[in-house]
Amino acid sequence: MAALRTLWRLRAAAGWRVTGGRQAVRSYSEFTPLEEKPQFPGASADFVDTLEFIQPNVISGIPIYRVMDRQGQIVNPSEDPNIPKETVLKFYETMTLLNTMDRILYESQRQGRISFYMTNYGEEGTHVGSVAALQDTDMVFGQYREAGVLMYRGYPLDLFMAQCYGNASDPGKGRQMPVHYGCKDRNFVTISSPLATQIPQAVGAAYALKREKRQPRAASEGDAHAAFNFSATLECPVLFFCRNNGYAISTPTSEQYRGDGIVARGPGYGIMSIRVDGNDVFAVYNATKEARRRAVTSNQPFLIEAMTYRIGHHSTSDDSSAYRSVDEVNYWDKEDHPISRLHFYMMHKGWWDTDKEKEWRKKSRKMVMEAFEEAERKRKPSIDHMFTDVYSEKPPRLKKQEDSLKKTPKGLWGTLPLGQL
């Protein structure tokens, strides 16, 4: 009855006449424009009088923003970020140093020296372009293929190696599998293997910072629907950075979704979104910088989809030749690589040449090899670390396990490298 009474009052207010228990019908011309607009909560739209279903792709493909073409030429001078030479050189040196580290550690795993590894081949531009546009105080909740973000922020090679080898210098004390880096001092939250776990965490952190009225921070990577919805409804200053590299391990994107990529999902959640050429480090930089500026000033989330290609295998546990052709991989490696594109740009500017390239490649390989050899020489973490850093005070059950281990004769410890502890 309450609902009926409310309806009665609305009709009376709108000028309905009731005579003898029957209501008079108003002509269309008597409606005001406001009354003809849909008043349903949860949607913004107009009425239509034709039956038409929404097509999956409402436009002919969401465009891809770029600044440089594949030969390193600026397409539109007004979009040139005009980044100083020293910074562009840092871009290039970070991308190539990461590439060198990948090659050495990949071969190290193949030789049985480390247990696992994941390369970043072909995606270096997405790492460097995005992190360079952030503030060093911005917190990053990274995915497992984003080592370049940490490298650009100055994370040393010896700690990359220590983590992969799980030696005594590893900040994680050997308790994480390789490539799961983290660094509190550089505002990079430790990587976890399960996909999308970092997304709601980033939203929660952004919302907490907003409530505390502190400097909002940015996050990279994005895939969780719940996080998208929370970020929009709670108006969180967060960046979702999605590297669309074409594959989910062995599954191509054509078998993962039928819509137009990931960026098409943003508007459905009320999120400002853009798609960029992920192999164009300047396009990534421009988009991230502007998205961050708006996120900070207006307290709202942004979604960036960086289109790129995973040239390497998913990991050392994968053989991508089983599901894609060599020709496909070679195209992206030889014709549209982010490192090559930036190399062409620097050559056009007169900032780089063949001699500098040879000198840097030699120097960077030496740097990586020195850190690699040092990591192999170091001892493993103390076995006592198996029982630390979780509880402020060890519970009885954990203390019992620790005591039991220490009482176990070392001869029964199997293949544990006791001499290296």
Side-chain angles (χ1 to χ4, degrees):
M1 290 300 294
L4 290 175
R5 286 196 295 271
T6 301
L7 179 61
W8 181 276
R9 286 197 297 271
L10 285 174
R11 286 176 172 175
W16 291 87
R17 261 185 314 112
V18 180
T19 305
R22 295 181 180 180
Q23 62 185 31
V25 179
R26 288 174 56 182
S27 67
Y28 180 82
S29 59
E30 293 181 75
F31 282 98
T32 63
L34 178 61
E35 290 174 312
E36 267 307 285
K37 293 286 290 184
Q39 302 300 310
F40 305 113
S44 300
D46 291 320
F47 286 121
V48 296
D49 55 12
T50 56
L51 178 64
E52 184 177 356
F53 290 96
I54 298 173
Q55 297 296 320
N57 294 317
V58 293
I59 60 176
S60 59
I62 296 173
I64 302 172
Y65 169 71
R66 72 171 181 173
V67 175
M68 284 189 295
D69 62 20
R70 291 166 185 163
Q71 288 71 47
Q73 300 282 2
I74 301 296
V75 177
N76 181 354
S78 66
E79 293 296 314
D80 187 345
N82 294 308
I83 299 173
K85 174 182 177 181
E86 294 73 19
T87 304
V88 173
L89 290 177
K90 183 180 179 182
F91 283 12
Y92 187 74
E93 289 179 354
T94 301
M95 292 163 69
T96 50
L97 181 61
L98 175 62
N99 188 270
T100 299
M101 183 181 79
D102 275 349
R103 295 182 188 282
I104 290 174
L105 285 176
Y106 181 84
E107 291 303 322
S108 173
Q109 192 281 334
R110 286 296 188 241
Q111 295 167 9
R113 294 177 166 183
I114 60 176
S115 61
F116 178 82
Y117 195 70
M118 304 183 82
T119 64
N120 303 274
Y121 301 147
E123 302 181 50
E124 298 89 348
T126 63
H127 302 187
V128 172
S130 59
V131 69
L134 303 178
Q135 300 293 320
D136 288 342
T137 53
D138 289 338
M139 188 171 290
V140 174
F141 292 74
Q143 192 243 15
Y144 47 63
R145 207 184 305 279
E146 291 189 312
V149 174
L150 257 181
M151 185 173 283
Y152 188 85
R153 285 189 170 179
Y155 198 65
L157 285 171
D158 60 344
L159 289 185
F160 277 113
M161 298 293 175
Q163 199 283 325
C164 288
Y165 272 86
N167 63 31
S169 296
D170 173 20
K173 302 175 183 177
R175 294 175 295 201
Q176 267 278 30
M177 65 188 296
V179 307
H180 289 57
Y181 313 109
C183 182
K184 183 177 179 181
D185 292 341
R186 290 170 175 81
N187 295 300
F188 189 96
V189 177
T190 302
I191 294 166
S192 60
S193 286
L195 289 170
T197 56
Q198 73 273 27
I199 312 307
Q201 295 165 6
V203 174
Y207 185 56
L209 291 166
K210 173 188 172 182
R211 287 176 60 88
E212 293 175 8
K213 301 186 185 304
R214 290 167 55 190
Q215 175 67 31
R217 299 179 177 183
S220 64
E221 248 303 311
D223 191 20
H225 298 289
F228 286 172
N229 193 45
F230 274 121
S231 69
T233 56
L234 297 177
E235 298 180 336
C236 299
V238 59
L239 306 186
F240 296 107
F241 191 91
C242 173
R243 298 179 345 272
N244 190 338
N245 64 17
Y247 287 90
I249 305 184
S250 60
T251 307
T253 54
S254 60
E255 296 179 15
Q256 293 180 62
Y257 52 76
R258 283 291 181 267
D260 188 8
I262 305 303
V263 73
R265 304 174 189 181
Y269 292 98
I271 297 177
M272 296 284 285
S273 308
I274 189 171
R275 173 179 284 162
V276 304
D277 182 347
N279 291 346
D280 177 354
V281 69
F282 293 156
V284 175
Y285 174 86
N286 282 354
T288 307
K289 184 177 181 180
E290 179 60 15
R292 184 197 184 278
R293 184 190 69 79
R294 295 192 190 189
V296 168
T297 57
S298 60
N299 273 333
Q300 63 175 315
F302 282 78
L303 170 61
I304 300 172
E305 181 182 27
M307 308 304 292
T308 184
Y309 187 82
R310 194 197 78 209
I311 293 175
H313 305 294
H314 171 72
S315 70
T316 49
S317 302
D318 174 47
D319 178 9
S320 64
S321 65
Y323 53 84
R324 60 182 182 178
S325 69
V326 174
D327 290 341
E328 177 183 320
V329 176
N330 283 341
Y331 167 78
W332 293 99
D333 190 25
K334 307 298 182 185
E335 302 295 331
D336 196 0
H337 199 291
I339 292 177
S340 299
R341 197 180 298 194
L342 186 58
H343 180 269
F344 288 143
Y345 173 84
M346 295 193 303
M347 295 284 280
H348 296 323
K349 293 287 245 181
W351 296 347
W352 204 249
D353 55 36
T354 303
D355 290 339
K356 289 180 180 178
E357 180 72 16
K358 290 180 179 179
E359 181 181 351
W360 168 244
R361 292 287 183 171
K362 181 179 180 181
K363 178 181 177 181
S364 60
R365 179 174 176 79
K366 181 181 178 183
M367 291 164 55
V368 174
M369 287 304 300
E370 288 176 350
F372 170 81
E373 292 167 358
E374 178 66 20
E376 283 200 315
R377 287 194 293 266
K378 288 191 174 180
R379 300 173 69 87
K380 298 298 181 184
S382 169
I383 200 158
D384 293 338
H385 292 315
M386 289 179 63
F387 306 95
T388 61
D389 298 334
V390 176
Y391 300 98
S392 58
E393 294 184 12
K394 294 178 186 176
R397 65 182 184 278
L398 190 62
K399 190 70 172 65
K400 182 179 179 180
Q401 293 174 26
E402 182 179 15
D403 293 340
S404 176
L405 177 63
K406 290 180 178 179
K407 292 176 182 177
T408 301
K410 292 186 177 181
L412 300 179
W413 284 16
T415 59
L416 191 67
L418 302 179
Q420 298 180 37
L421 297 176

